[in-house]
Amino acid sequence: MTNKYSMQPAPIGVFDSGFGGLSILREIRKELPQYDYIFLGDNARAPYGNRSFQLVYEFTLQAVKYLFSQGCHLVILACNTASAKALRSIQQRDLEGLDPNRRVLGVIRPTVEEIGHLTKSRNVGLFGTPGTVQSLSYDIEIGKMHPDIKVYSHACPMWVPLVENRESDGPGADYFVKKDVDALMSQCKEIDSIILGCTHYPLLYDKIKLYAPAGVNIIEQGPIVARSLKDYLKRHPEMEARCTRGGNCCYCTTEDASRFSPVASIFVNHTVEAHHVIL
Ligand code: DGL
């Protein structure tokens, strides 16, 4: 079979429906600054959280193909909704035909691996998009890996729009965060750790912390995914050799680049110059 994608070493691809994946990218670049990255945000079609399985799968597959066409050998789905609804199909059904030597990894598994060390009460809360919560991906994965942990989930359909519309510091965010934290905690008072199961939610971290009971761990995925990627590259030297080292990052968005760049800059704490791409 002739490979339709370049075999040259290339940047690591990082994908999200919108801006949220930048919270993961930022932590990955802190942990692994030596590599090059291409970030792709499908901002024109975000949010994904309320979309059907089929659409999230189709959009995510288009994004993966785009990143492969840019040469990426390794793509991280820095999006829980895409990890929940599309990752397995892409890994099991599509990779073989696209290029069996390339890899697509998600954010749910590394988070689930870590949660066993973080909860003492074995009662864990999960905030996610409606898509992630309805998929039951966390319940299933935690059930397999830590059968003694009980998961209490709550979908927060307003949180991504608040972040995408730069309202995460406003009073609307206080209203919805308090309401959703109360709704989650009312399911079980023993919850001692809450997974922020959407990569947009770290932008609401301060408010979540404020309204959650004192002492409850609020778990952000960025550092967890970054450590897990570092470990993956150590265990897969053949993949590591296919990742270019230059410390650069190229930002791509399906939205108008001039709308993407100012918000992206807030997420990553430096000026971002983005390119508009069509999937
Ligand atoms: N940031 C994404 C996630 O982690 C999804 C946001 C959305 O598009 O709804 O789930």
Side-chain angles (χ1 to χ4, degrees), residues 47-61:
Y48 280 12
N50 294 310
R51 293 191 187 275
S52 67
F53 260 86
Q54 186 58 25
L55 263 191
V56 173
Y57 163 67
E58 282 169 21
F59 291 174
T60 306
L61 182 59

Side-chain angles (χ1 to χ4, degrees), residues 48-207:
Y48 280 12
N50 294 310
R51 293 191 187 275
S52 67
F53 260 86
Q54 186 58 25
L55 263 191
V56 173
Y57 163 67
E58 282 169 21
F59 291 174
T60 306
L61 182 59
Q62 287 171 0
V64 167
K65 285 182 181 169
Y66 175 81
L67 289 166
F68 284 178
S69 77
Q70 299 305 298
C72 301
H73 295 266
L74 178 61
V75 170
I76 312 296
L77 301 184
C79 175
N80 288 270
T81 311
S83 299
K85 292 184 159 196
L87 179 62
R88 189 168 294 241
S89 303
I90 291 174
Q91 285 174 335
Q92 294 180 353
R93 230 172 38 200
D94 300 299
L95 260 188
E96 183 67 24
L98 294 172
D99 180 347
N101 293 315
R102 290 178 203 254
R103 288 289 171 269
V104 182
L105 306 176
V107 289
I108 295 179
R109 210 186 156 82
T111 310
V112 168
E113 280 170 2
E114 192 91 357
I115 194 68
H117 308 299
L118 299 174
T119 170
K120 288 200 171 65
S121 74
R122 314 312 271 173
N123 290 291
V124 167
L126 168 75
F127 285 131
T129 64
T132 298
V133 169
Q134 280 157 22
S135 75
L136 298 179
S137 295
Y138 275 94
D139 309 61
I140 295 166
E141 293 300 321
I142 291 177
K144 276 192 225 153
M145 214 174 285
H146 314 289
D148 60 323
I149 294 182
K150 281 197 88 174
V151 183
Y152 300 88
S153 310
H154 182 74
C156 310
M158 291 306 293
W159 290 15
V160 170
L162 284 165
V163 171
E164 292 275 324
N165 290 292
R166 301 167 78 173
E167 288 289 340
S168 47
D169 292 327
D174 282 284
Y175 173 81
F176 283 107
V177 170
K178 180 172 183 336
K179 180 168 166 273
D180 289 320
V181 167
D182 289 348
L184 177 67
M185 292 309 300
S186 74
Q187 293 184 47
C188 171
K189 298 281 170 266
E190 307 302 314
I191 292 171
D192 69 354
S193 306
I194 300 176
I195 299 169
L196 301 188
C198 170
T199 56
H200 282 66
Y201 296 175
L203 270 283
L204 293 163
Y205 180 90
D206 290 344
K207 293 201 190 297

